[in-house]
Amino acid sequence: MDRIPILKLGGALIVSIQVDMHDRLALALEEDLTAMIARTGARGVLIEISALEIVDSFIGRMLVSIAAVSRVLDAETVVAGMRPAVAITLVELGLELTGIKTALNVERGMALIQVRLSEEDDGHGSDRDRHED
Amino acid sequence: MSTDGAGVLERILTEDEAAILDAWNTALREGASLQGGRIREAELRTQAKAVLGQLRDALASNSLDADGEGFAPLRETLADISRSRAIQGFTPTDTANFVFSLKEPIFEALRRSADVDASTLAAGVWAAGKVLDRLGLHTMEVFLASREEVIGRQGQEIAELSTPVVRLWDGILALPLIGTLDSARTGVVMENLLQAIVDEEAEIAIIDITGVPTVDTLVAQHLLKTVAAARLMGADCIVSGIRPQIAQTMVHLGVELNVVSKATLADAFAVALKRTGRKVVRQQAPAEERR
């Protein structure tokens, strides 16, 4: 079964969904991502969905649950590049993805994550250093 | 009897065509059809002649069924006339009278006709009444349908005109809403806004509802949907221009808009500029304000 690749870039993980999501792929992604966050200690997850043309309630719920799991693992999820049609569909489905940050494109999404990363470095820098040692 | 009536009518129309046409034209001229000079007399004459000719042809098929095959060309002509009347702004009465005013000349002609006995006369009158009533109704139907079409087109144009998305600054869009938001319009508004967000790479969209007359729970729900969809695209929304009465109504109804809202478009724009890291300053401050 094919899987969606997860890239690590600094303190962030990047997932670019380029294929039609089906339910098993979504579940596999959630699993892989969770494992990856735990392993790398990433603080931000960027999910890029500009190639995603069709969403259903399951994919919407999957996004919400990925965000929730990431939050538990202290990583922030940013969804970037949603198409207008997808946004309308999600709203009509009643899935407003509360608690997930959104960005127009990857660039802005990365900027959002960078802001959080730099805040973390300022605030809890010593904590994090010790943890990594 | 009906075949008999059609035959009588056809004969009368053939024999007495000129007289009937003259009388009909007089009736049309005296009626309201020419008023206001919306249509020329010559044009009216041409139409009358064409209709009369086709009525005769239709009756030649020995049928009185105005919805039938033989009447198809006549119905077509009447529909054209009726449609042009609707566009020229004629009243429904004028349009219907075009056909109904043919009754009297035909009845007159039947009466004049020498070799007609009472029962044939009755048959002819009945036949003429039946056919012309049906044709009159047909013109009305077409007339109304054309009017509906005009109204529908206008409605569509209004909907298109009233949902513009304006670019205020780099990355700042404004959506001045005018008129009531129903589901259909919300759809159009949402699509326009989201597409504009993509095209302009906007960060902030200001939805100005100064022109929305009332905000009830349904309108508020539609607004919230639009805001949520814009947020999913990565753009923040600010709602502006909520008038005092509307604010009161909303609170009384228990409608909550959980979005940033500002009193005026100017305030919202200022917030938007601030969020995007911009500031409006005077080039030279007036002396009393300089500190």
Side-chain angles (χ1 to χ4, degrees), chain B residues 215-287:
Chain B
V215 176
D216 53 16
T217 42
L218 200 65
V219 173
Q221 198 203 350
H222 287 145
L223 269 179
L224 286 176
K225 268 190 187 174
T226 312
V227 172
R231 198 191 72 84
L232 286 179
M233 303 273 307
D236 281 334
C237 275
I238 303 173
V239 175
S240 76
I242 303 177
R243 278 177 282 136
Q245 301 96 313
I246 289 182
Q248 282 181 336
T249 328
M250 282 168 69
V251 171
H252 287 159
L253 283 174
V255 174
E256 274 187 56
L257 283 180
N258 286 322
V259 288
V260 184
S261 61
K262 292 280 156 195
T264 63
L265 184 61
D267 293 343
F269 186 44
V271 171
L273 284 175
K274 198 174 159 198
R275 280 204 203 158
T276 50
R278 298 188 183 91
K279 201 162 98 182
V280 181
V281 289
R282 254 182 236 251
Q283 262 189 336
Q284 197 170 15

Side-chain angles (χ1 to χ4, degrees), chain B residues 9 12-13 16-31 52 55 96-113 121 124-133:
Chain B
L9 264 189
I12 289 292
L13 283 178
D16 221 355
E17 186 179 0
I20 293 176
L21 193 59
D22 266 351
W24 191 18
N25 275 324
T26 315
L28 284 176
R29 211 168 35 239
E30 280 166 3
L52 204 57
L55 178 61
N97 266 342
F98 177 73
V99 174
F100 289 141
S101 59
L102 176 58
K103 269 190 191 177
E104 204 184 339
I106 289 184
F107 293 168
E108 280 294 313
L110 279 171
R111 211 161 45 83
R112 266 202 312 273
S113 181
L121 179 68
V125 168
W126 158 247
K130 187 180 167 189
V131 168
L132 289 179
D133 283 352

Side-chain angles (χ1 to χ4, degrees), chain A residues 95-116:
Chain A
L95 287 164
E96 303 188 356
L97 307 191
T98 359
I100 304 186
K101 289 206 172 178
T102 50
L104 189 69
N105 48 35
V106 177
E107 195 179 1
R108 294 215 181 132
M110 277 314 283
L112 277 178
I113 291 179
Q114 289 302 333
V115 167
R116 177 175 150 112

Side-chain angles (χ1 to χ4, degrees), chain B residues 85-98:
Chain B
R85 301 270 150 119
I87 291 164
Q88 284 164 330
F90 277 77
T91 63
T93 313
D94 286 347
T95 312
N97 266 342
F98 177 73

Side-chain angles (χ1 to χ4, degrees), chain A:
Chain A
M1 190 177 79
D2 46 332
R3 287 180 177 255
I4 293 172
I6 303 169
L7 317 171
K8 182 172 180 298
L9 188 76
L13 296 179
I14 301 178
V15 180
S16 178
I17 298 174
Q18 305 279 351
V19 291
D20 278 342
M21 283 296 261
H22 49 81
D23 296 1
R24 272 168 64 192
L25 200 58
L27 286 173
L29 174 67
E30 186 178 342
E31 225 165 83
D32 291 353
L33 201 56
T34 316
M36 192 81 165
I37 295 169
R39 200 168 71 235
T40 61
R43 290 308 182 82
V45 177
L46 183 83
I47 304 177
E48 199 269 339
I49 55 169
S50 65
L52 195 66
E53 283 179 16
I54 299 163
V55 282
D56 54 17
S57 54
F58 185 82
I59 305 297
R61 215 160 55 84
M62 188 268 314
L63 287 175
V64 175
S65 82
I66 285 182
V69 171
S70 310
R71 206 175 307 120
V72 172
L73 295 170
D74 194 23
E76 185 175 54
T77 308
V78 176
V79 171
M82 190 181 294
R83 286 169 177 247
V86 172
I88 293 174
T89 312
L90 283 180
V91 170
E92 293 296 338
L93 287 173
L95 287 164
E96 303 188 356
L97 307 191
T98 359
I100 304 186
K101 289 206 172 178
T102 50
L104 189 69
N105 48 35
V106 177
E107 195 179 1
R108 294 215 181 132
M110 277 314 283
L112 277 178
I113 291 179
Q114 289 302 333
V115 167
R116 177 175 150 112
L117 287 179
S118 58
E119 273 173 9
E120 302 262 316
D121 285 346
D122 293 345
H124 315 279
S126 51
D127 259 349
R128 182 148 171 76
D129 286 344
R130 202 168 49 225
H131 179 74
E132 278 187 350
D133 287 342

